């Protein structure tokens, strides 16, 4: 009997669990706390945290990562093949109104300016010793675009995919905390009080239908590797705008999107092996991601101020901070800071322009990296 008990205990996870695994369990618990108690992106962090728990129960005793048969191995194929992020972009396109960009096209430049943070971080990460592929994946964090970060990291087979994904989503959750100090530091009260009107030009239905088609063709011819993300984003938007595919809009923006988010986040969390996640490089990635996000926010604001030097119709520089692609969180933060100076100042609809442009811009930046690496 003693031999049987001893043999059974040898087959349990307690026989092989390491201190790194216990630390990862604690980190998973912290993520669940932040998601539930602080309402910090719960739809993302809860499944990521649970995936981390799965990853750190010694896989040799669970079999869930066994190639060909393990359930987590099967789910992660969608991650490694780059299937999940484009499907999320389909959902984003289906629920996003692009007319804010069409009504004020110059806001595209603000979204483009915010991508400077991505390219500066790419150079910094490579200088710090990361491979070109890892540096590219790390840099996308600056766009505050979780699906794109994951897409680039998976296609380039970065070993740091879990920490990149978690860092990206963490900074998205922290936008209301991180952005306001930067916005206030780089603008004056007078600039934050600039009014841009309560109405935008009415965009016709024809424009809204033609835009996703033309944008897909133009962007994909210039940056072909951006097609999987940009194409699905624009398809979702075309389904939304044509008025004849409401069932597909509902499926894309709700059922498909929610299902894929669960699969994607659990798969990402399940790659968070403690030995990799707790390495020095992971701490460096968190720092680089924060720096990328700060530079991206600052770049959008400063470019808006530059535009004002040559424009008759001034833009509120706060909307430049919405050039990061966290839709619509960044635009809401711009509105919040503007209303602190003047409660009657409504910049939300104007901030949505750079916000949407940021989504497109981060996808294009990802395409550039995938094209040259």
């Amino acid at each position: 009997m003693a031999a049987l008990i001893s043999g059974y205990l040898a087959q349990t996870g307690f026989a092989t669990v390491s201190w790194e695994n216990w630390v990862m369990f604690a980190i998973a618990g912290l993520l669940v706390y932040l998601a539930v108690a602080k309402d910090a992106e719960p739809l993302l962090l809860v499944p990521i945290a649970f995936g981390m728990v799965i990853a750190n129960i010694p896989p040799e005793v669970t079999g869930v990562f066994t190639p060909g048969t393990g359930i987590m191995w099967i789910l992660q194929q969608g991650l490694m093949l780059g299937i999940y992020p484009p499907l999320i972009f389909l959902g984003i396109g289906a629920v996003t109104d692009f007319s804010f960009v069409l009504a004020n096209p110059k806001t595209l430049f603000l979204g483009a300016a915010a991508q400077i943070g991505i390219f500066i971080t790419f150079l910094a990460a490579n200088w710090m010793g990361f491979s070109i592929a890892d540096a590219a994946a790390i840099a996308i964090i600056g766009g505050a675009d979780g699906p794109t970060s994951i897409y680039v990291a998976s296609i380039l087979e970065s070993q740091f995919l879990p920490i990149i994904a978690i860092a990206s989503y963490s900074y998205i959750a922290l936008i209301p905390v991180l952005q306001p100090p930067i916005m206030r530091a780089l603008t004056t009260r007078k600039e934050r009080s600039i009014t841009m009107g309560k109405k935008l030009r009415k965009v016709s239905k024809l424009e809204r239908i033609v835009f996703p088609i033309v944008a897909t063709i133009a962007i994909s011819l210039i940056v072909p590797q951006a097609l999987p993300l940009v194409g699905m984003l624009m398809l979702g938007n075309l389904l939304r705008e044509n008025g004849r595919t409401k069932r597909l809009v509902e499926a894309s923006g709700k059922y498909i999107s929610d299902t894929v988010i669960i699969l994607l986040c659990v798969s990402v969390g399940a790659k968070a092996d403690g030995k990799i996640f707790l390495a020095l490089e992971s701490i460096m990635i968190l720092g680089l991601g924060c720096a990328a996000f700060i530079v991206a926010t600052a770049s959008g604001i400063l470019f808006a101020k530059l535009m004002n030097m040559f424009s008759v119709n001034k833009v509120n520089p706060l909307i430049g901070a919405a050039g990061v692609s966290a839709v619509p969180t960044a635009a809401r933060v711009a509105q919040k800071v503007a209303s602190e100076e003047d409660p009657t100042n409504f910049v939300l609809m104007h901030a949505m322009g750079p916000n949407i442009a940021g989504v497109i811009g981060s996808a294009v930046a990802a395409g550039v990296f995938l094209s040259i690496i």
Side-chain angles (χ1 to χ4, degrees), residues 4-154:
L4 289 175
I5 295 175
S6 177
Y8 171 74
L9 292 176
Q11 299 299 316
T12 67
F14 287 103
T16 53
V17 69
S18 67
W19 69 268
E20 291 98 340
N21 299 136
W22 289 110
V23 172
M24 294 306 294
F25 291 150
I27 293 175
L30 176 62
L31 292 180
V32 171
Y33 169 76
L34 292 174
V36 177
K38 302 298 182 181
D39 196 27
E41 298 293 337
L43 300 181
L44 306 173
L45 293 187
V46 169
I48 286 177
F50 199 81
M52 292 171 66
V53 171
I54 293 174
N56 287 278
I57 298 174
E60 58 268 26
V61 297
T62 64
V64 296
F65 292 98
T66 302
T69 59
I71 181 62
M72 292 312 305
W73 181 89
I74 293 171
L75 292 182
Q76 287 183 343
Q77 297 314 296
L79 177 67
M80 302 313 296
L81 295 174
I83 296 172
Y84 296 148
L87 290 177
I88 290 180
F89 265 67
L90 174 68
I92 293 173
V95 299
T96 303
D97 185 355
F98 282 12
S99 63
F100 296 107
V101 173
L102 297 173
N104 193 3
K106 68 180 180 181
T107 58
L108 280 168
F109 296 107
L110 298 177
Q115 309 314 308
I116 292 175
I118 291 177
F119 293 100
I120 290 178
T121 304
F122 169 70
L123 297 175
N126 188 236
W127 177 78
M128 292 173 66
F130 289 98
S131 69
I132 292 179
D134 288 334
I138 293 167
I140 298 294
I141 297 173
D145 189 340
T148 304
S149 299
I150 293 170
Y151 182 74
V152 173
S154 61

Side-chain angles (χ1 to χ4, degrees), residues 187-194 341:
T187 58
T188 64
R189 286 188 174 181
K190 182 178 180 180
E191 289 173 328
R192 294 194 293 272
S193 300
I194 292 176
E341 299 298 334

